[in-house]
């Protein structure tokens, strides 16, 4: 399976910046053997979709960063999965640790959002990962196992991203052995939860991925790609990570 390199722009990017970044990413996407995805703020999805549609080379897919579990209704400030689809997204990140922390999202909320995303034609990327305290206690597998069991429907056919909370935006990453061990654990959990279909789910690594560590991380067994935050805001860095995927 091709690796997926996904950029989570988080709450960054006014229209002009987003347009320029999307243009640079699209212009550098030629000849990559991985799939590329950018997840901009919802306000610029239409703009990024226009840029990508006009690019001459390999398509760059577009995703949202969250959606509501309901299809429509009285939910001020929220966006439905169908709205993201309508704007040009075909993917959505769900259950990111920043959503779990900032908006108290539980596994059952994430589960409901996965169902809503799939119903609207979006492929979900479900994020899981332990805090530093949980890892220091040796509870990382229990935490991630519970997040997977609680967040994924039994017919889940999306992508999982393992993002240790303490590695996000800190410049710190787990050891290669720890990443490999967690990805093996997640694969086993997916097979238990989903049966043979669990073999087809890509498992991305996220947390301080940058050009200097991408090749080593992407070469690890069961690492199906990367979910990149800060480095995805610099087209040259994001594309360098994508080229590391190609070589993996
Ligand atoms: P950083 O790459 O900035 O650590 O962010 C990772 C992340 O949260 C991607 O979703």
């Amino acid at each position: 399976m091709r690796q997926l390199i996904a950029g989570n722009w988080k709450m960054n990017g006014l229209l002009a910046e987003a347009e320029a970044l999307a243009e640079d990413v699209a212009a550098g996407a030629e000849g990559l053997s991985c799939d590329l995805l950018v997840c901009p703020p919802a306000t610029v999805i239409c703009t990024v979709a226009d840029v990508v549609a006009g690019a001459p080379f390999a398509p760059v897919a577009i995703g949202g960063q969250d959606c509501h579990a309901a299809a429509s209704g009285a939910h001020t400030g929220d966006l439905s999965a169908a709205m993201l689809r309508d704007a040009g997204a075909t993917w959505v990140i769900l259950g990111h640790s920043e959503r779990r922390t900032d908006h108290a999202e539980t596994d059952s909320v994430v589960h409901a959002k996965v169902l809503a995303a799939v119903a609207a034609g979006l492929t979900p990327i479900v994020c899981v990962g332990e805090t530093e305290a949980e890892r220091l206690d040796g509870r990382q597998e229990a935490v991630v196992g519970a997040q997977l069991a609680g967040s994924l429907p039994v017919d889940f056919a999306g992508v999982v991203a393992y993002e240790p909370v303490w590695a996000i935006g800190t410049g710190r990453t787990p050891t290669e052995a720890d990443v490999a061990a967690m990805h093996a654990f997640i694969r086993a959990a997916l097979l238990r939860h989903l049966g043979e279909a669990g073999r087809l789910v890509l498992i991305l690594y996220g947390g301080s991925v940058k050009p200097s560590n991408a090749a080593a991380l992407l070469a690890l067994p069961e690492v199906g790609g990367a979910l990149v935050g800060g480095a995805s805001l610099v087209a040259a860095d994001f594309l360098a990570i994508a080229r590391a995927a190609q070589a993996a």
Side-chain angles (χ1 to χ4, degrees):
M1 267 194 301
R2 282 158 71 91
Q3 291 189 312
L4 172 67
I5 305 300
N8 176 7
W9 295 4
K10 307 192 180 185
M11 197 171 72
N12 296 289
L14 302 180
L15 275 176
E17 294 158 348
E19 191 171 14
L21 180 54
E23 275 168 5
D24 290 347
V25 169
E30 188 189 8
L32 293 174
S33 66
C34 62
D35 292 322
L36 276 192
L37 167 68
V38 294
C39 300
T43 47
V44 299
I45 287 178
C46 285
T47 302
V48 171
D50 282 347
V51 169
V52 167
F57 299 123
V60 179
I62 300 167
Q65 299 175 10
D66 175 54
C67 69
H68 198 279
S72 64
H75 301 289
T76 301
D78 278 312
L79 297 170
S80 72
M83 289 170 178
L84 295 176
R85 188 82 175 82
D86 198 32
T90 51
W91 293 74
V92 64
I93 298 170
L94 294 174
H96 191 281
S97 66
E98 288 149 16
R99 299 286 316 171
R100 291 177 187 262
T101 302
D102 295 355
H103 300 274
E105 285 191 7
T106 60
D107 293 329
S108 63
V109 168
V110 177
H111 184 278
K113 291 183 173 196
V114 170
L115 297 179
V118 172
L122 300 177
T123 303
I125 299 178
V126 173
C127 302
V128 295
E130 81 285 355
T131 63
E132 182 154 40
E134 289 162 345
R135 177 162 283 269
L136 290 173
D137 280 356
R139 290 194 291 126
Q140 66 273 13
E141 291 189 353
V143 167
V144 168
Q147 288 172 331
L148 291 169
S151 304
L152 303 186
V154 288
D155 59 351
F156 182 73
V159 168
V160 167
Y162 169 55
E163 298 207 309
V165 178
W166 52 274
I168 295 175
T170 60
R172 298 161 58 207
T173 54
T175 64
E176 290 170 23
D178 284 345
V179 173
M182 182 56 87
H183 280 240
F185 171 80
I186 292 172
R187 178 64 69 206
L190 290 172
L191 287 167
R192 269 198 314 279
H193 194 65
L194 308 174
E196 270 309 295
R199 216 173 286 289
L200 302 175
V201 173
L202 281 178
I203 308 169
L204 311 184
Y205 169 76
S208 296
V209 177
K210 40 192 181 229
S212 58
N213 62 18
L217 288 165
L218 290 164
L220 294 171
E222 298 293 4
V223 172
L227 182 53
V228 186
S232 74
L233 298 173
V234 179
D237 288 353
F238 187 58
L239 291 166
I241 292 167
R243 284 192 294 275
Q246 185 173 353

